[in-house]
Each structure stands twice: as structure tokens, then as C-alpha cells.
Amino acid sequence: MEEKLEEVSKIHFVLIHGISGGGWCWYKIKSLMEISGYKVTCLDLKGSGIHPHDPTTIISFDDYNQPLINFFSSLPQNEQVILVGHSAGGLSVTDATHKFPKKVRMAVYIGATMLRNGFVTEQDVKDGIPDLSEFGEAIDVYDMCFGLGPEQPPTSAVVKTSLQRKIIYQMSPLEDSTLAAMLLRPGPIQALASARFKEGEGAEEVPRIYIRTAYDRVVKPEQQDAMIKKWPPKNVYTLESDHSPFFSAPLLLFGLLIKASIRD
């Protein structure tokens, strides 16, 4: 029993939020993991969560993802983590896996953008960027910020409060969607759209797991399936959840993450 507890305590999960979110998104999963003896780190990417930077001024993906890169740079050479990304956080996971393959024990994507090289082709954009046009024109769906001036494309955006529950949290407890409405920040859409990765040596050897979110209205199931087909992971699991299973299905998500952490 003591040996098992020691083994669990050595497993370190690093959880990466999606656009507009923050480390706070994972509060239920973090609690379940820590109570079970796992080590957990929930990072805020630049301009997200309680990170002090203004997201409207972030226009490059490298800048946005710097907190995760800093984390891996400071991680001892002999340590590995299970890197988990939700939604646009999948881009951060892929970037770090290319740059630090020896430090990533496993990469897990939850209803996430999983593109080997980022947004290189039109198909990558179609598969990996949410299309919320069924909910109205962009101006009706998003509150947008124009950090480069009103004549330039928006640099950041957040789904309007009145639509957040309908689009992102339709199966989540009301108290969680209420919390999210209070904490979501504009996300650096221009920076995310610029994400492109050079393949790192050894990155393909890192096992990848994809957790599908079956009732997702943001990264739709057909988009998830297209990315899975294009870059097949080791295993695919499905959650009967909305876009935010850390709220709507936390126990099931926790179980899948623990299952995924056990290597065959």
C-alpha cells in the first residue's frame, strides 16, 4: 500500500486551460487529484486567470505560451509530467511536447485543438478553430478588443456573458457557469491563430490521448474526429459532456485522466 501511495505521489499532472479561462477552471479536478495523492499544477497562460498581463496586447503565440515554456525550462531534467490541455490549451500542449519531449510523459487533449504543426493549412483552421456562426454573427457572439486599433482585426475576444452557458456550459451546474461568467477574460485570438510548430526530435514518441466531448458546441465532435483521424493518438475516450467536462463531468474526467496515466 505504501509503495502504491509513493508511486502515485510521483505522478505530476500539469493542467492547461483553454482560451479565456485560467488555472481556476480545474478546481474540481485539482481537488480530486490532490486528495488522491497526485501532484497537480494548474498554470495561467499569459494574460489569463490571475496573470497580470493585458491579453489585448498579446499578438504572438510564443508570447502567450511563455508561462508553460518557463515551467518546463525550470523542471529538472530527470522529471516528467503528464501534460493535459483543454480546448485551445491543446496548442500549448503540442508546442511544449515539441520543445521538451523528454519531460512529457504523456500528452492528453480534452475537447482540444490537436494539430501536429499548428495552423498551417486551411483545413487546420477548419478543424481547429471554433465556428460559432450558428449562434449569430461574430459581433453578436463575442465581445472583442482591438489592441492594434479599430481599423485592424481584433486581438482578443470573449463569448458574450449572455451566451456562455448556451455555448460552453450547457450541461454544467449553474453555479459553475456563474463562476465562469465572473472570471472569464478576453482571450488573445490573434496570438492563438498564429500558432505554428516545428517538429521536435522525439516528440512523436510521446504518447498522446484524446478525450472527446460528445456534446461540445465549441470544438464540435466532427472537428475533434477530423483532428484524431489526421494525427491519430494512442487512445481515444469519449465523455458524454459539454465543452467543459471539468465542470459537467468531473468524476468521469478524473477517472479517465488516472486511467490514461497508467501506461500499458
Side-chain angles (χ1 to χ4, degrees):
M1 183 68 172
E2 283 181 12
E3 282 181 15
K4 249 184 187 176
L5 287 171
E6 190 179 344
E7 211 174 284
V8 163
S9 69
K10 289 179 181 176
I11 297 178
H12 185 180
F13 286 89
V14 177
L15 310 180
I16 306 300
H17 60 83
I19 188 170
S20 295
W24 58 268
C25 294
W26 302 100
Y27 80 95
K28 290 182 178 181
I29 303 300
K30 180 177 170 67
S31 298
L32 289 166
M33 285 183 168
E34 288 183 340
I35 252 175
S36 303
Y38 296 94
K39 184 176 180 181
V40 189
T41 299
C42 301
L43 287 178
D44 286 325
L45 299 179
K46 195 167 184 178
S48 305
I50 60 170
H51 191 285
H53 204 84
D54 178 2
T56 301
T57 65
I58 301 169
I59 57 174
S60 82
F61 181 79
D62 287 344
D63 192 21
Y64 174 63
N65 206 34
Q66 196 58 51
L68 181 58
I69 301 308
N70 291 345
F71 168 85
F72 273 104
S73 296
S74 64
L75 195 69
Q77 289 296 330
N78 61 340
E79 284 191 32
Q80 285 190 314
V81 303
I82 295 175
L83 187 56
V84 181
H86 171 248
S87 195
L91 294 165
S92 297
V93 168
T94 303
D95 183 35
T97 301
H98 282 311
K99 290 174 177 171
F100 301 96
K102 292 182 179 177
K103 293 185 177 183
V104 181
R105 173 179 168 177
M106 179 173 290
V108 183
Y109 298 77
I110 303 170
T113 303
M114 184 179 69
L115 300 167
R116 186 200 303 256
N117 300 114
F119 296 115
V120 178
T121 68
E122 286 184 16
Q123 190 61 46
D124 292 332
V125 171
K126 184 179 178 183
D127 294 340
I129 290 183
D131 176 8
L132 305 185
S133 58
E134 68 185 274
F135 301 101
E137 299 293 328
I139 196 170
D140 299 318
V141 175
Y142 295 101
D143 287 324
M144 294 179 279
C145 302
F146 297 82
L148 299 176
E151 303 303 317
Q152 298 298 318
T155 51
S156 67
V158 62
V159 173
K160 288 181 180 292
T161 304
S162 60
L163 290 173
Q164 286 170 9
R165 181 161 181 81
K166 183 176 182 180
I167 297 173
I168 313 171
Y169 309 114
Q170 81 271 16
M171 297 172 70
S172 299
L174 182 59
E175 57 267 36
D176 287 323
S177 60
T178 301
L179 175 70
M182 297 167 69
L183 296 177
L184 290 176
R185 298 174 65 183
I189 53 174
Q190 196 168 126
L192 285 162
S194 73
R196 289 174 182 77
F197 316 121
K198 291 181 181 176
E199 288 193 44
E201 187 177 345
E204 282 296 329
E205 295 170 20
V206 176
R208 282 175 297 109
I209 304 292
Y210 199 99
I211 299 177
R212 297 174 68 256
T213 40
Y215 299 102
D216 200 320
R217 294 176 178 174
V218 180
V219 183
K220 296 179 176 64
E222 56 267 30
Q223 292 178 289
Q224 298 177 39
D225 291 341
M227 290 185 284
I228 288 166
K229 184 177 180 181
K230 193 172 181 179
W231 193 26
K234 177 184 176 185
N235 287 312
V236 178
Y237 304 108
T238 299
L239 279 176
E240 303 289 313
S241 79
D242 56 17
H243 185 60
S244 305
F246 40 70
F247 290 158
S248 58
L251 288 171
L252 291 173
L253 176 57
F254 168 68
L256 282 182
L257 290 172
I258 300 310
K259 181 179 180 179
S261 73
I262 301 168
R263 286 178 167 166
D264 294 336

